[in-house]
Every structure is written in structure tokens, then in C-alpha cells.
């Protein structure tokens, strides 16, 4: 059920106007919020977030996110480190099993993240790659 609150969200750095590295991960939080949010479509969602069941619609250059969303496991792929980080967090919030292709991006920049998440109770299995 979407809340009556409608919030504009801009994940760009206030000085440079560039989307910050954490913006995609912050998007996972927005999907779980009890509100509707709007933000420029160039900032996110990472390809694949809708596959988890996120309620995201596009109007022109603006995305509208209706939350909270009950996410379901999905098979997705990520093209960079920010996208794979966001998809890992979405998979952890989702019911069921997820498969994420492109995990080498995560290993390249956040090599210890998966063991740390497992220490916190996440059930993560990786196959292939270094």
C-alpha cells in the first residue's frame, strides 16, 4: 500500500550535479520506503530492479517509485560495481532466491562485502570467477 506522502528525491551531488556512487544503493532504500518518490530517470534504477518487483514508472525524464514494495527473487545482470551493489541489496531484501550475473564487478571493488554479509546471516553462494 502506497503512503500519501510524495517525496522528490535527487541523488546528485549538490556541488557537481553528478550522481554519487551510493545513489543506486540508496535506491533500494527508496523502494522500501512507505512513500512515493520522484527522481530524475538518469540516476537509477539499475537495470534489473524492476525484475524484483519494484513498482517504478517513468514519465518523461522522471521516475516515480511507489513503496514499500514486496520484492521477489529474480535473475538479473549488472554492468558495473554500483549496479551490482544495488542488486545484491535488493536480493537480500527479496523473498526467495536470486541469481546475479556480473558479480566480478563487486569482487573488483568490494571484495570483502559478501563475506561480511554472510557473517551477518546472509545466505550467499557464488559460482565461477575469481
Amino acid at each position: 500500500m502506497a503512503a500519501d506522502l510524495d517525496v522528490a528525491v535527487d541523488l546528485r551531488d549538490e556541488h557537481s550535479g553528478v550522481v554519487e556512487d551510493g545513489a543506486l544503493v540508496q535506491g533500494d532504500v527508496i523502494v522500501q520506503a512507505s512513500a512515493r518518490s520522484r527522481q530524475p530517470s538518469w540516476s537509477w534504477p539499475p537495470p534489473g530492479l524492476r525484475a524484483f518487483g519494484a513498482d517504478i514508472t517513468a514519465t518523461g525524464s522522471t521516475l516515480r517509485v511507489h513503496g514499500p514494495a514486496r520484492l521477489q527473487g529474480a535473475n538479473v545482470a549488472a554492468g558495473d560495481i554500483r549496479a551490482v551493489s544495488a542488486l545484491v541489496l535488493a536480493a537480500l531484501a527479496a523473498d526467495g532466491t536470486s541469481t546475479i550475473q556480473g558479480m566480478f564487478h563487486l569482487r573488483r571493488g568490494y571484495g570483502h562485502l559478501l563475506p561480511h554479509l554472510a557473517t551477518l546471516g546472509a545466505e550467499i553462494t557464488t559460482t565461477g570467477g575469481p
Side-chain angles (χ1 to χ4, degrees), residues 31-45:
V31 169
Q32 294 302 308
S34 294
R36 293 183 302 264
S37 62
R38 298 180 312 275
Q39 60 190 76
S41 62
W42 47 262
S43 63
W44 78 248

Side-chain angles (χ1 to χ4, degrees), residues 53-75:
D55 185 1
I56 303 169
T57 55
T59 304
S61 63
T62 301
L63 292 175
R64 186 170 297 276
V65 182
H66 301 273
R70 183 171 184 117
L71 304 180
Q72 299 296 318
N75 295 325

